[in-house]
Amino acid sequence: MAERILTFPVYLVRRLAVPVVFGAAAALVATFFTQLLRRTRQPVPSRMSDDWLRTHDRDAGRSDEWGGFRSW
C-alpha cells in the first residue's frame, strides 16, 4: 500500500521534469545563438578617448567631470 502512495508523486515529478529540462536547454541554446549572431552582425562602436571627451565637453559648454576644464 505504501508503494502506491509514494510512486504517484515521483511519477508526476518525473513526467513534468523532462519537458522543463528540455525547455531550459532550448532556451540556453537559443540565447547562445542570439548572442553569437548579435556580436557577429553588429559592429562594435569605437571607444572614445579621454581627449575627445574633454574637447566635446568644452565645445558643448559643459564642465569637465574630472576637473580638467572649467567653464569660468
Side-chain angles (χ1 to χ4, degrees), residues 6-33:
L6 294 176
T7 58
F8 177 71
V10 172
Y11 173 73
L12 182 62
V13 168
R14 188 180 302 153
R15 185 176 174 110
L16 294 176
V18 172
V20 168
V21 169
F22 282 129
L28 286 174
V29 169
T31 302
F32 172 75
F33 282 117

Side-chain angles (χ1 to χ4, degrees), residues 54 58 62-71:
R54 284 189 186 104
R58 188 181 65 230
R62 293 188 296 257
S63 64
D64 202 337
E65 291 293 326
W66 46 84
F69 170 71
R70 299 283 181 216
S71 60

